[in-house]
Amino acid sequence: MSLIITDECINCDVCEPECPNEAISQGEEIYVIEPSKCTECVGHFDEPQCQQVCPVDCIPLDPNHKETEEQLMEKYLTLTGQL
């Protein structure tokens, strides 16, 4: 699954620079995650970095974008040009 930022986001800007895939950007009201770029940090880190730094815990799994560990790794390899 990719992650999603909920409306509890306080726009603190700590998640965006932590994303190794540049999947996080400022939306109209809150930060947003581009599902096609989010690998939950698979391939980069053991845990999603945005979740680790979020002070309000507003970055859960996105139930609308379910992916297996293998699919996330394939996405990582594609995004990094290794596939």
Side-chain angles (χ1 to χ4, degrees):
M1 286 186 174
S2 64
L3 302 170
I4 189 170
I5 297 176
T6 65
D7 60 4
E8 285 87 26
C9 176
I10 58 172
N11 289 312
C12 65
D13 191 38
V14 297
C15 61
E16 183 181 22
E18 296 299 319
C19 182
N21 297 322
E22 299 179 350
I24 301 173
S25 62
Q26 179 64 49
E28 286 187 30
E29 296 181 25
I30 60 173
Y31 279 84
V32 294
I33 296 176
E34 172 57 49
S36 66
K37 292 183 176 181
C38 179
T39 63
E40 294 178 47
C41 289
V42 167
H44 294 284
F45 301 103
D46 292 334
E47 297 178 330
Q49 298 301 289
C50 59
Q51 286 181 331
Q52 300 303 307
V53 299
C54 180
V56 293
D57 293 328
C58 67
I59 310 175
L61 292 172
D62 183 351
N64 295 318
H65 294 96
K66 295 182 180 187
E67 295 169 295
T68 65
E69 183 87 13
E70 292 79 22
Q71 289 171 313
L72 292 170
M73 180 56 80
E74 186 174 324
K75 190 190 306 186
Y76 159 76
L77 293 172
T78 300
L79 289 169
T80 59
Q82 299 179 48
L83 186 65

